Amino acid sequence: MKFSTSAALLLAVSSASTAFGFSPAIRSSFVTKPSNSVHKATAQHFNSRHQMSKRSSSAISMSYSVGVVGATGAVGKEIVSCLNKSSLDVSKLRIFGSERSAGTTRDAGKFGDIEVELFDVAKARECDVVFLAVSGDFALEHAKALSEGDDGAVVIDNSSAFRYDKDIPLVVPEINGECTKGSKLIANPNCTTAIGLMALWPIHKLFKLKSVIMSVRRSLLY
């Protein structure tokens, strides 16, 4: 099954403890542009891309083929973990990696043991949704090729590559999930911004914050 850019479902992997979902009535003009760094695990979307089989009037009842590029790294493993704990109906999970990891087998939890496929744009485009847990340079090179056209995948990029691109929505699903409508390439903020905005969003709705300065001392944790 392929998605349509006019569809209304946003699938969100916002944390290991939450299911896929969002509040469609909420919009935000307050998602700030963050610095580099990869957000732990993230967001997503949509309904049938060309002719959709008539399974159900409810998009949440559909099943999706999902690909994770970079699934052998820390962020990719977390995305797979979130998919394991989600109620989203994943019909097939595919894992893509580099030449070094291609051909090896990984434990994907409820999805069983999955052989890592060597990344290929054409193969990844066969998926309904593709998570990119890769570097910004890799995302810049391949993300648009994965998502372009009616038969392209919905791509959720976890790198910093598109966070400053005005034509690509920067999304925290619980805040501005509706911004994904009409876009098949979605960016998400880094971890500090995503977590901080969840606390700041209710305050912003009440008092209209003009700016926020965050100082992060993550290196102190190591």
Side-chain angles (χ1 to χ4, degrees):
M1 179 203 327
K2 295 291 184 181
F3 296 131
S4 163
T5 53
S6 64
L9 177 63
L10 173 70
L11 308 176
V13 189
S14 52
S15 77
S17 61
T18 59
F20 287 75
F22 77 114
S23 300
I26 299 176
R27 289 180 181 267
S28 171
S29 59
F30 183 62
V31 176
T32 56
K33 298 290 183 177
S35 59
N36 294 343
S37 196
V38 177
H39 178 216
K40 186 172 161 184
T42 8
Q44 252 101 28
H45 115 93
F46 295 132
N47 239 332
S48 90
R49 251 191 230 126
H50 37 58
Q51 295 181 352
M52 183 171 63
S53 59
K54 296 181 179 178
R55 290 190 180 183
S56 168
S57 59
S58 172
I60 200 66
S61 67
M62 297 176 184
S63 61
Y64 304 90
S65 60
V66 176
V68 182
V69 182
T72 59
V75 176
K77 289 178 181 177
E78 185 64 27
I79 292 174
V80 172
S81 176
C82 290
L83 289 168
N84 265 281
K85 297 174 183 178
S86 169
S87 59
L88 180 74
D89 186 1
V90 178
S91 59
K92 185 176 183 179
L93 177 64
R94 299 175 67 177
I95 292 175
F96 298 94
S98 64
E99 290 183 355
R100 183 176 61 181
S101 58
T104 60
T105 301
R106 304 296 166 123
D107 180 4
K110 69 181 183 181
F111 303 105
D113 291 336
I114 297 178
E115 182 175 331
V116 180
E117 302 177 51
L118 179 62
F119 173 77
D120 177 79
V121 170
K123 289 181 178 180
R125 281 172 60 89
E126 295 171 358
C127 299
D128 295 319
V129 179
V130 175
F131 289 93
L132 294 182
V134 293
S135 67
D137 288 341
F138 187 99
L140 286 170
E141 183 177 357
H142 298 295
K144 291 184 178 179
L146 290 170
S147 61
E148 66 186 1
D150 291 338
D151 59 344
V154 172
V155 177
I156 294 85
D157 178 40
N158 285 275
S159 78
S160 61
F162 301 104
R163 291 173 183 165
Y164 289 90
D165 191 323
K166 62 182 178 62
D167 297 321
I168 296 174
L170 180 67
V171 174
V172 175
E174 296 85 349
I175 296 175
N176 64 335
E178 280 196 341
C179 293
T180 62
K181 291 183 179 180
S183 178
K184 284 164 51 182
L185 176 54
I186 303 163
N188 63 274
N190 73 347
C191 51
T192 303
T193 305
I195 295 169
L197 284 178
M198 291 301 292
L200 291 170
W201 173 239
I203 300 173
H204 174 65
K205 289 195 291 185
L206 289 172
F207 303 107
K208 303 302 178 187
L209 302 176
K210 294 181 178 180
S211 65
V212 175
I213 298 174
M214 290 186 181
S215 296
V216 182
R217 300 291 185 269
R218 285 182 293 180
S219 60
L220 297 178
L221 299 176
Y222 300 99

